[in-house]
Amino acid sequence: MIHPHIADALKVPDLVRLTDGLVLIRFESMKVYSALAAVRHLLERGTIRPGQTLVDSSSGIYAYALALACHRHGMRCHIVASTTVDTTTRAQLEVLGATVEQVRPSKDLKLDQELRVRRVEELLADHPDWHWMRQYHDAVHYLGYHEVADRIAAAFPGAPLTVVGGVGSGASTGGVVERLRSADPSVRLVGVQPFGSVTFGSEDHHDPEAIIAGIGSSIVFDNVRHHLYDAVHWLDFTHAMAGTVALLRDHAVFAGLSTGAAYLAAAHEARRHPDRLHLVIGADTGHRYVERVFARHAEAPDPAALKPVEITAPEEMSMPWSTMAWRRTAGPARGKERAA
């Protein structure tokens, strides 16, 4: 098949068998599906017009996806980038034609996101003709993952399936599983979170090592539909690193930190539910984690020696790894803070 644009090729994932009960759906950059479908839908609906500037904030892979979608559809792109966006990603964004501004360095997730929110609001006030993509709040970002779900359903017809992935904005795991459940309501969804994220109530726990970019938030995201999740795992940086390094060592898969965290959680789930097929969402490659994770591979603990504390309520959680049956219930009660 000859693709009309590189974005159409990059979005297609590979399915890799890890063990009998564990399969990886490996993306080069998962959010290309979301961004392409969202931009196409907004153009078709007349919400945006060719040549208009699209703006959003991102910790990395959505920025790249939106820049590709804008290149594909003849749009302008402006990114307010997190401190976690590395030099390689930023250079690609700029060559693709996006304008990029990065908030001041911060190891605090909440401050980083608040700075980005504030800057997006300033830009929209100065440029009322720009369109805010609102990846964290606009349900249009669910659309692209329907195609992913259809590929999964075709690959594993009739299999009792559990999807395991980083929660992040909620659109990827939510979009895939909503579509799968339209045909099979028994599909399970296990979400992976870092400590410090408000999304499933771990904001009172601080991981001093690092932020796991893209899978948690200090601010409520409207696109997270808590009632879709059957279980949640909270992992610290060291445990996520253990899964990431093990994935490369044992299966030769060079993937990002959220994929490693999901792999560790999925391996635990597979031991508890050996009758089900567990599908690990691998959102991106490991290139932006070379220095922070792979160069430190000797420090990574053996995953075989790790296990979570099983809890019955968020207030019981403890670091470095907790898990809880969420049972498709609503989100934790709190006053809403909004993010760009």
Side-chain angles (χ1 to χ4, degrees), residues 146-285:
H146 292 177
E147 186 179 341
V148 178
D150 292 344
R151 293 176 66 88
I152 294 168
F156 307 107
L161 187 65
T162 297
V163 176
V164 185
V167 176
S169 71
S172 58
T173 47
V176 167
V177 167
E178 274 197 335
R179 179 75 161 194
L180 289 171
R181 283 184 186 159
S182 66
D184 181 3
S186 72
V187 172
R188 296 184 76 246
L189 175 57
V190 177
V192 177
Q193 284 271 276
F195 289 98
S197 172
V198 305
T199 308
F200 284 89
S202 68
E203 62 268 30
D204 293 334
H205 298 264
H206 177 61
D207 181 356
E209 178 66 42
I211 296 166
I212 305 177
I215 69 169
S217 173
S218 68
I219 304 173
V220 173
F221 290 167
D222 291 342
N223 270 343
V224 177
R225 299 174 184 174
H226 294 79
H227 66 275
L228 296 175
Y229 295 84
D230 294 280
V232 181
H233 286 252
W234 296 266
L235 296 95
D236 74 352
F237 172 83
T238 301
H239 279 59
M241 178 170 69
T244 306
V245 171
L247 196 54
L248 180 58
R249 182 185 60 239
D250 298 341
H251 302 288
V253 176
F254 183 56
L257 200 57
S258 68
T259 305
Y263 171 60
L264 192 64
H268 174 76
E269 292 287 330
R271 287 191 293 270
R272 296 185 64 196
H273 306 280
D275 56 320
R276 301 184 68 85
L277 177 66
H278 290 76
L279 184 74
V280 180
I281 294 182
D284 61 351
T285 63

Side-chain angles (χ1 to χ4, degrees), residues 5 35-36 38-44 46-55 65-78 93 95-99 129-133:
H5 189 275
L36 280 176
V39 171
R40 183 173 61 249
H41 179 78
L42 293 170
L43 281 168
E44 290 172 351
T47 304
I48 60 176
R49 64 184 186 279
Q52 191 173 357
T53 297
L54 307 183
V55 60
L66 184 59
L68 283 172
C70 287
H71 191 281
R72 170 80 167 82
H73 290 288
M75 311 296 294
R76 298 180 187 277
C77 180
H78 186 87
L93 296 175
V95 174
L96 282 168
T99 51
D129 58 319
W130 288 13
H131 180 81
W132 179 20
M133 288 299 292

